[in-house]
Amino acid sequence: MSSRGKSFKACRRCRSLVPKNAETCPVCGSQDFTFEWNGIIIIVNPEKSLIAKILEINNPGKYVIKLE
């Protein structure tokens, strides 16, 4: 899928999904993004989530599973 079809881009540092027009990542402050990603995971309560612990996610939000 081209970047035109994606409403979000992914932060390369923390894998957070951010809107296309965002200039900095609200989670880690990075400005390094990509439109090449697959799979979304939504973390609601990172303290109780086994998946969040495995993926080392500490903040609630939308994240990508795989960066390409």
Side-chain angles (χ1 to χ4, degrees):
M1 178 182 280
S2 73
S3 64
R4 276 198 232 170
K6 292 191 176 182
S7 299
F8 295 95
K9 57 187 176 182
C11 174
R12 290 184 190 268
R13 185 186 300 170
C14 70
R15 297 188 315 263
S16 177
L17 279 177
V18 298
K20 267 184 173 183
N21 59 353
E23 294 184 22
T24 60
C25 176
V27 176
C28 70
S30 174
Q31 295 181 336
D32 188 14
F33 300 103
T34 182
F35 285 101
E36 303 298 322
W37 54 268
N38 283 308
I40 298 173
I41 186 167
I42 298 173
I43 302 296
V44 177
N45 188 341
E47 294 84 25
K48 294 184 178 181
S49 170
L50 180 59
I51 298 298
K53 287 181 177 115
I54 291 169
L55 296 175
E56 299 178 359
I57 295 172
N58 299 316
N59 298 309
K62 293 182 239 175
Y63 296 86
V64 298
I65 295 172
K66 182 180 178 187
L67 294 173
E68 303 208 3

